[in-house]
Amino acid sequence: MLSLFGCFLTKRPYNQRATKELFRSLWKFGIDLRIVDVGDGLFQFKFTLESQLKWVLNNGPWSFDNHPLVLRRWERGMTANSITFTVLPIWVQIWGLPFDLISEEAARDIGRSLGQVVEIDHKAFTSKQAMFIKIRVEIAIDKTLHRGGFVVNPKGYKVRIGFRYERLVGLRFQCGYLGHEARDCSTPRCSIQSEFPYGDWLKAGLRKSGDRSIGRKKSLPLCEPPPSEANGFKLQT
């Protein structure tokens, strides 16, 4: 069955009719696409061609009214009550790497510290201008978003890097989770901070002219998540 199931990371009400119209307009598949509401905020997207289904998966993440859409491909035996959503594939830009560490190996190892690596953009390895490298990673939606930290290579060389996320929506600045509402968030605000630990500076494409902050604030905020490790490289927050 050529189907994707999807739901939005929100508990807020939204216009389902407008949602269907938006995706029909964006995806431009005409009568080849059927969108079925199967209840409890769950949609089934039915395609005619395998290439259409893969195009939707490969060109996400998608969103509506600042709510991220998480998708999962149909599997035999799946029911509306048994479907779970755990990851969101997203393109991540890695800023601040020294030129001698701009490599596919570094990209893959750093990516593993964020989640399952889906794809690596090789343009930075062949381009005459490479300000960052880019990887597509399946990030866990039940964990806080990584903001950056320090990378240590096997020889002990240490450098600070920052992450920027392409087409990032629905991020709660207080806790770093996607789709969290204020009433559902149990993360207390740090009393010694004047700003939230997360912000629009994590979104790719918002870089101002002259900004060389490598995708992060001038200093990483407090309340950073615990360090995570990758093969060969270690990401230290």
Side-chain angles (χ1 to χ4, degrees), residues 90-95 114 135 137 139 144-148 162-169 171 178 198 200-205 215:
I90 190 169
W91 281 102
V92 184
Q93 299 177 0
I94 305 171
W95 289 73
L114 304 177
I135 53 177
V137 180
I139 61 170
T144 57
L145 212 63
H146 281 279
R147 295 168 290 180
F163 301 133
R164 290 179 179 174
Y165 298 82
E166 298 187 358
R167 299 168 71 171
L168 176 65
V169 298
L171 176 66
L178 296 176
Y198 300 81
D200 279 334
W201 44 273
L202 280 166
K203 299 179 180 180

Side-chain angles (χ1 to χ4, degrees), residues 95 146-151 158-163 214 216 220 224 234-237:
W95 289 73
H146 281 279
R147 295 168 290 180
F150 293 94
V151 165
K158 186 175 181 179
V159 64
R160 170 167 281 186
I161 62 171
F163 301 133
I214 65 167
R216 55 173 175 83
L220 287 173
E224 187 70 25
K234 180 185 291 184
L235 176 63
Q236 299 178 338
T237 52

Side-chain angles (χ1 to χ4, degrees), residues 70-236:
V70 286
L71 294 168
R72 182 171 174 180
R73 185 160 187 169
W74 172 84
E75 297 175 10
R76 188 174 299 278
M78 201 177 260
T79 67
N81 294 327
S82 68
I83 298 176
T84 57
F85 300 91
T86 58
V87 296
L88 178 71
I90 190 169
W91 281 102
V92 184
Q93 299 177 0
I94 305 171
W95 289 73
L97 277 175
F99 295 115
D100 57 323
L101 292 184
I102 296 180
S103 66
E104 182 173 348
E105 178 188 4
R108 190 173 301 278
D109 285 345
I110 294 171
R112 287 177 182 144
S113 70
L114 304 177
Q116 179 68 37
V117 177
V118 178
E119 186 179 354
I120 297 176
D121 188 339
H122 291 81
K123 292 179 181 178
F125 311 137
T126 58
S127 174
K128 295 181 179 179
Q129 293 182 334
M131 301 179 66
F132 59 86
I133 58 179
K134 192 165 75 168
I135 53 177
R136 194 162 188 251
V137 180
E138 291 182 343
I139 61 170
I141 60 177
D142 63 345
K143 296 182 180 180
T144 57
L145 212 63
H146 281 279
R147 295 168 290 180
F150 293 94
V151 165
V152 181
N153 70 7
K155 296 183 179 180
Y157 186 70
K158 186 175 181 179
V159 64
R160 170 167 281 186
I161 62 171
F163 301 133
R164 290 179 179 174
Y165 298 82
E166 298 187 358
R167 299 168 71 171
L168 176 65
V169 298
L171 176 66
R172 178 159 171 75
F173 294 165
Q174 181 170 326
C175 65
Y177 286 92
L178 296 176
H180 256 208
E181 307 292 347
R183 62 180 179 271
D184 300 322
C185 185
S186 60
T187 302
R189 182 173 179 177
C190 299
S191 59
I192 59 176
Q193 286 183 273
S194 59
E195 298 180 1
F196 287 125
Y198 300 81
D200 279 334
W201 44 273
L202 280 166
K203 299 179 180 180
L206 295 182
R207 184 170 183 265
K208 297 180 180 179
S209 176
D211 177 15
R212 299 186 182 276
S213 59
I214 65 167
R216 55 173 175 83
K217 289 188 167 184
K218 292 183 179 179
S219 61
L220 287 173
L222 301 178
C223 303
E224 187 70 25
S228 56
E229 296 187 5
N231 295 330
F233 291 78
K234 180 185 291 184
L235 176 63
Q236 299 178 338

